[in-house]
Amino acid sequence: MTKPAYVAVDWGTSSFRLWLIGSDGSVLAERRSGEGMTTAAKVGFASVLAGHRQAVSAPETLPVIVCGMAGARQGWVEAGYLDVPAALSAIPAAAVRVPDAVSDIRILPGLAQRDPARPDVIRGEETQLLGALDALSDGNGLVCMPGTHSKWVHIRDGAVTRFSTFMTGELFDAIGKHTILSHSIQDAGPFDGESEAFRQAVTECIRNPGAASNLLFTARSGVLLHGLSATDAKARISGILIGLEIAGALDGAEPGASVTLVASGALGALYESALEAAGAAPTIVDADAAVRSGLAVAARALWDL
Amino acid sequence: MTKPAYVAVDWGTSSFRLWLIGSDGSVLAERRSGEGMTTAAKVGFASVLAGHRQAVSAPETLPVIVCGMAGARQGWVEAGYLDVPAALSAIPAAAVRVPDAVSDIRILPGLAQRDPARPDVIRGEETQLLGALDALSDGNGLVCMPGTHSKWVHIRDGAVTRFSTFMTGELFDAIGKHTILSHSIQDAGPFDGESEAFRQAVTECIRNPGAASNLLFTARSGVLLHGLSATDAKARISGILIGLEIAGALDGAEPGASVTLVASGALGALYESALEAAGAAPTIVDADAAVRSGLAVAARALWDL
């Protein structure tokens, strides 16, 4: 039987994921919970981690590699930022050790872009990038990482040269819940990247991004005047916001630019459809696999595994 | 002493304003309250109006002219829409009479743009436009009416040819309260159109509207990395959203385009500054005066006053 070698943790704002990894790199056990930074800051990071380690019977002495918001100022131990341009291979050595812990627990740093015109920060996605690096030809490319705060990252020779955060997921949530559009979508059913209303909204907003907050209103007026369905109204709002993001992220890029899409599940499928509608040719990398792979690269760099 | 001639009411979603107008057109009394459509739909439109009529001692038999959301489907009596292109002078005759009322009460209709590519509706602002028409040279121009839902209206020979709603005010509210940016602005003080952070954000977003949801995030990363103040962060968010609106509304317009700004108070000053930063030359019309003036035009057209 494979012996456990280390514990890998992706500790986000609202989610916690832990894997027990064997000496051959295989996943021996997995845990997922809602004990993200927000919860853990109240109940204690050490106790949340200890509970999940016990649940998978991980030996107490096993080293632990952590990425994400556990390293934020409001997190467990602040892990700071590497300033871009930053070689992804420099990330593991910049990990911060949790003091007075039972075993060797290291939290990986984020990335900071201090350009006064476009200040930006990443925390967690740098580890996905480290894991997705093999998927980039010659360590070069443009990477799209959709989510609550989507990240678009330019990588050259294995180093992050610049990146941009788009608040797409959070805007979708705030607009759908806290504006007049909430009435138009309250009976909406599920939709996906095949939705014509979604794809049309993506292309409309890419063609005319300045009209974004007007296009959003047409999700309401389309219901009032043309019987647009609640599901199509919701797909339209999503398409407008994702289209706005793609318009900004691909501004200045070649038509048919190659984009590596690091994503999973329904959101990944939605972005794949939107990028195709935008004329980009996405290569897909699974986000869950990427973060595990990035944590593995860091663990191997830090410890003799 | 001037005799009372009619009652004028601007009945919005969340606000109610009533003026008692004399036979010489002067304002004899005024009432303002929060009993907009939302409240009145619960307690009764007739009783809200009766209370304010009594408070200004308006004779029961006086006619009443009403504009705004009282004419919406969820309002008092549905007053429908005139389809664009629509002559502003045609609005009074399309008013709907409230049945079984003590006096002659008429509610003015809204405007609808049924273009399937850009469906849109206006309710209330059409009356401001009717009142502001004298300020437009030869009845032609582009009118900006900022607010929760800003309206940009193209007028030709006294007729509305097309218009666009931008959700700027509501987006500002939802983003400032219900996203991660709320933390960055919670200690913000007041700001105005003189704010350099505001004006810079306006021009940045006009130059690159596709970056809007990335620029919004810089209000947070600017605080994290460069000590941006909460007040400047809030001014920046406002400038990005107003800049996005102006970028969309002036798309295709001549540089230095003349814009008639129908607005009042602090919001009017903010838009005046933003339009100047965008290189437009705004002419200001007071929104309060415009709606009273529009209601007066309608009252004179309907009744022998």
Side-chain angles (χ1 to χ4, degrees):
Chain A
M1 205 183 110
T2 311
K3 275 179 55 179
Y6 66 96
V7 171
V9 176
D10 178 12
W11 212 324
T13 302
S14 57
S15 69
F16 173 94
R17 292 187 299 173
L18 175 148
W19 298 274
L20 178 62
I21 307 294
S23 51
D24 62 352
S26 61
V27 175
L28 303 179
E30 177 175 353
R31 301 278 295 173
R32 288 172 183 250
S33 92
E35 293 153 302
M37 179 191 71
T38 311
T39 303
K42 290 173 196 148
V43 304
F45 287 87
S47 73
V48 169
L49 178 59
H52 288 282
R53 286 175 77 163
Q54 281 161 21
V56 297
S57 306
E60 269 203 338
T61 52
L62 227 49
V64 181
I65 185 77
V66 180
C67 72
M69 294 300 283
R73 197 168 299 170
Q74 320 91 295
W76 191 359
V77 176
E78 188 173 2
Y81 300 107
L82 289 183
D83 290 356
V84 297
L88 288 167
S89 60
I91 289 173
V96 167
R97 188 164 176 174
V98 176
D100 307 320
V102 190
S103 71
D104 189 349
I105 304 176
R106 311 260 185 138
I107 305 180
L108 296 168
L111 300 179
Q113 175 169 287
R114 297 185 190 272
D115 172 3
R118 287 291 172 88
D120 215 325
V121 290
I122 264 183
R123 195 175 282 288
E125 292 87 352
E126 74 295 325
T127 304
Q128 287 183 35
L129 288 168
L130 188 59
L133 200 49
D134 289 345
L136 298 177
S137 61
D138 308 326
N140 291 303
L142 175 57
V143 179
C144 167
M145 311 169 90
T148 303
H149 294 162
S150 292
K151 309 285 182 183
W152 284 74
V153 184
H154 292 263
I155 298 185
R156 179 162 290 275
D157 298 330
V160 172
T161 54
R162 60 193 170 90
F163 61 92
S164 307
T165 300
F166 294 81
M167 295 181 61
T168 308
E170 199 170 23
L171 288 177
F172 180 69
D173 205 55
I175 289 168
K177 284 186 185 150
H178 301 291
T179 73
I180 199 166
L181 301 186
S182 63
H183 302 294
S184 305
I185 64 172
Q186 63 188 1
D187 299 322
F191 66 93
D192 61 23
E194 298 300 306
S195 158
E196 190 48 41
F198 172 79
R199 290 175 69 96
Q200 193 188 318
V202 169
T203 52
E204 273 179 61
C205 196
I206 287 174
R207 203 162 46 224
N208 191 3
S213 81
N214 170 229
L215 291 171
L216 285 171
F217 191 72
T218 63
R220 172 173 164 75
S221 44
V223 170
L224 287 176
L225 299 182
H226 297 302
L228 184 73
S229 74
T231 302
D232 280 353
K234 191 170 184 179
R236 184 160 173 79
I237 296 168
S238 173
I240 291 162
L241 293 170
I242 292 176
L244 183 63
E245 172 183 332
I246 292 175
L250 290 185
D251 187 37
E254 299 286 314
S258 92
V259 173
T260 301
L261 176 61
V262 179
S264 299
L267 189 65
L270 218 49
Y271 270 75
E272 185 179 0
S273 169
L275 284 164
E276 282 166 359
T283 307
I284 320 289
V285 173
D286 183 76
D288 287 357
V291 74
R292 268 206 320 274
S293 169
L295 287 164
V297 171
R300 285 195 301 267
L302 286 167
W303 301 302
D304 187 25
L305 298 171
Chain B
M1 205 184 110
T2 311
K3 275 180 54 181
Y6 66 95
V7 172
V9 176
D10 177 12
W11 212 323
T13 302
S14 58
S15 69
F16 172 95
R17 291 186 302 172
L18 175 148
W19 298 275
L20 179 62
I21 306 293
S23 51
D24 62 352
S26 62
V27 175
L28 303 179
E30 177 176 353
R31 302 277 295 173
R32 287 172 184 251
S33 92
E35 293 153 302
M37 178 192 70
T38 310
T39 303
K42 289 174 197 149
V43 304
F45 287 87
S47 73
V48 169
L49 179 59
H52 288 284
R53 286 174 78 162
Q54 281 161 21
V56 297
S57 306
E60 269 205 338
T61 54
L62 229 48
V64 182
I65 185 78
V66 181
C67 73
M69 293 301 282
R73 195 168 301 171
Q74 320 92 297
W76 191 358
V77 177
E78 188 173 2
Y81 300 108
L82 288 182
D83 290 355
V84 297
L88 288 167
S89 61
I91 289 173
V96 166
R97 188 163 176 175
V98 175
D100 307 320
V102 192
S103 72
D104 190 349
I105 303 175
R106 312 259 185 138
I107 306 180
L108 296 168
L111 301 179
Q113 174 168 287
R114 296 186 190 271
D115 173 2
R118 287 292 171 91
D120 216 327
V121 290
I122 265 183
R123 193 175 284 287
E125 292 88 353
E126 75 294 326
T127 305
Q128 287 183 36
L129 288 167
L130 188 59
L133 200 50
D134 289 346
L136 298 177
S137 61
D138 309 326
N140 290 304
L142 176 56
V143 180
C144 167
M145 312 169 88
T148 303
H149 295 162
S150 292
K151 309 285 182 182
W152 285 73
V153 184
H154 292 262
I155 298 184
R156 179 160 294 273
D157 299 330
V160 172
T161 54
R162 59 191 172 91
F163 61 93
S164 306
T165 300
F166 294 81
M167 295 182 60
T168 309
E170 199 170 23
L171 288 178
F172 180 70
D173 206 55
I175 289 168
K177 284 184 184 151
H178 302 289
T179 72
I180 198 165
L181 301 185
S182 62
H183 302 293
S184 305
I185 64 172
Q186 64 188 1
D187 298 323
F191 67 92
D192 61 23
E194 298 300 306
S195 158
E196 190 48 39
F198 172 79
R199 291 174 69 96
Q200 194 189 318
V202 169
T203 52
E204 272 180 61
C205 196
I206 288 174
R207 202 162 47 225
N208 191 3
S213 81
N214 171 230
L215 290 171
L216 284 171
F217 191 72
T218 63
R220 173 172 164 76
S221 44
V223 170
L224 287 176
L225 299 180
H226 297 302
L228 184 72
S229 74
T231 302
D232 280 353
K234 191 171 182 177
R236 183 161 174 79
I237 296 168
S238 173
I240 291 162
L241 293 171
I242 292 176
L244 182 62
E245 172 185 332
I246 292 175
L250 291 184
D251 187 37
E254 299 284 313
S258 93
V259 174
T260 301
L261 176 60
V262 179
S264 300
L267 189 64
L270 218 48
Y271 269 76
E272 185 180 0
S273 168
L275 284 165
E276 283 166 358
T283 308
I284 320 290
V285 173
D286 184 76
D288 287 355
V291 75
R292 268 205 320 275
S293 170
L295 288 164
V297 170
R300 284 196 303 269
L302 285 168
W303 302 301
D304 186 25
L305 298 170

